[in-house]
Amino acid sequence: MKIPFTRWPEDLAARYRALGYWQDLPLTDILTRHADSDRIALIDGDQQLNYRQLNQAADRLAASLLRRGLAVGDTALVQLGNQAEFYIVFFALLKIGVAPVNALFSHQRHELTGYARQISPCVLIADRQHRLFTDDVFVDELKQSCPRLSVCLFHHQEQGDSSLSQMTAFPADGFSPSPSAADEVAFFQLSGGSTGTPKLIPRTHNDYYYSIRGSVDICRFDRDTRFLCALPAAHNYPLSSPGALGVFYAAGQVVLASDPSATTCFGLIEQHQVNVTALVPPAVSLWIQALQDQSDRRSLASLRLLQVGGARLSPTLAASIPAVFGCQLQQVFGMAEGLVNYTRLDDDEQRIFTTQGRPICADDEVWVADAEGNPLPSGSIGRLMTRGPYTFRGYFQSPDHNAQAFDAKGFYCSGDLVSIDPQGYITVHGREKDQINRGGEKIAAEEIENLLLTHPAIIDAALVAMEDDLMGEKSCAFIITRETVRPVELRRFLRAEGVAEFKLPDRFEALPSLPLTAVGKVDKKQLRLRLRQKNAS
Ligand code: J2J
């Protein structure tokens, strides 16, 4: 069985193959190419796994899942935190051609239900320490709504046939991998989204593997790379830019942190002599604060490269990084849909401080469009349009949305407003999509507005970004209500609806009516302006 998805046209696919971007290898090659190595691959607390052990653990789990009846083309809903099991499960599923959606650990019932509805998973792998899985209420709900769901496995459950650790303990005798074909869907990435339902991004082995190899090359990851993964492991950035998969490809070492706080990370960096990590801008600010409060700065002495991306990094904060951290800065501007841009390690400082880098690949086609989709002259600010060997061609089962997100030639409109300089370096100036970027965590405005509208006191709602010194942006919900309703009550309501905590509006503002544009849409520009004026006064 093949998972349906929008394929690249044949001429481009042939070109990407001919140029060696697509090598027709499964993503599991990242691991199996080091299957005989005793080098340490992964450090998670007291647990250390070398490449052989990591590969064997994935084989054992894969073999168990095969015995439980899973087959190529099946799908999985996975929710695991920053723990070794995340990668074991990822590779195990890929080895038997089962395509996972890796939900973030911060996701709750609303998000998981949304993903399950779209992929109808055959297997669920989750953590008993997550609020949703301390009992079986939600699992039973999922089983009701997902007729294909036949296997449920849990991390942090020691006993029984639904214990993940027991499934990973059986020997993998006679197991032979059967990944999906390299030009088929390997797994689904999560879109930051701008619409009511969270969208899924089919990623093939060929396209994703290329983006990882290209990234490793640009960032010069090698056997000596010791990478701290402090952002959510499932996120595209710490997974593939070059992220943990890039480290594995290069035979380096991944050190897992449970969160990106200085308290958690500084000790790990010192203990394991970490030399590279990937952060979002707010984490950088918090690390700088922590360094100022600390007389001893030696804990970060091993750090050589600090990647910063996921949200706008101010040039001032950027310029302070080399001196404060005693290491190089690299800006990363990427998206789970594909295109990833990096400043290069040998770029001059001005470029590194003020641009978000240039694409991985010479065959990434990137240009800037006006509101009608026509190309703008070089240097102008407009919509980012792109296609290439690792940029997807359509959201999963979303024909209507795809008709808007792509132009007739298959260029994806990311919703970012950018300019491109003559050397191809991109600067992000803003955004056109209806999304809030809360320190790297993306919130689709419509998703929260729709939920607010189901509250009996609310007549209308508009979620907009408000500037925030630390987070870059936070969210403010403008609401029109039938009666007075307190913010705590609305937050409680959204929580009860099962929304991830980071999506709860940071602020509520009641208005008599929402301002409208000439065409009758809610004028969010005016709402954002109102917040700026209010903050300034
Ligand atoms: C401004 N905005 C940025 C940046 C992403 C590497 C790095 C990041 C992501 C990611 C990723 C930005 N400056 N440096 O997948 O592989 C905003 C843009 C973009 C959106 C994508 C990777 N870096 N952004 O953040 O899918 O608006 O991926 O379109 O979560 O984040 O979000 P996401």
Side-chain angles (χ1 to χ4, degrees), residues 190-192 201 235-238 240-241 308-313 331-342 356 384 412 414-416 428 430-431 433 435 437 440-442:
L190 311 177
S191 163
I201 303 160
H235 192 274
N236 197 53
Y237 171 27
S240 70
S241 296
V308 185
R312 187 188 120 86
L313 175 66
Q331 293 214 39
V332 191
F333 164 42
M335 54 203 73
E337 284 81 357
L339 182 73
V340 181
N341 305 276
Y342 296 98
Q356 280 64 61
L384 173 70
Y412 167 61
S414 78
D416 295 300
V428 183
R431 171 179 348 115
K433 55 187 159 191
Q435 183 185 79
N437 189 337
E441 294 189 300
K442 316 301 186 309

Side-chain angles (χ1 to χ4, degrees), residues 3-9 22 183-185 188 200-204 207 391-399 402-403 406-407 410:
I3 294 170
F5 75 110
T6 319
R7 293 166 192 273
W8 281 258
W22 291 6
D183 54 2
E184 299 292 332
V185 177
F188 296 93
L200 292 171
I201 303 160
R203 300 294 306 249
T204 64
D207 89 76
T391 295
F392 83 139
R393 306 289 299 205
Y395 291 103
F396 186 57
Q397 292 176 345
S398 311
N402 288 338
F406 291 83
D407 76 3

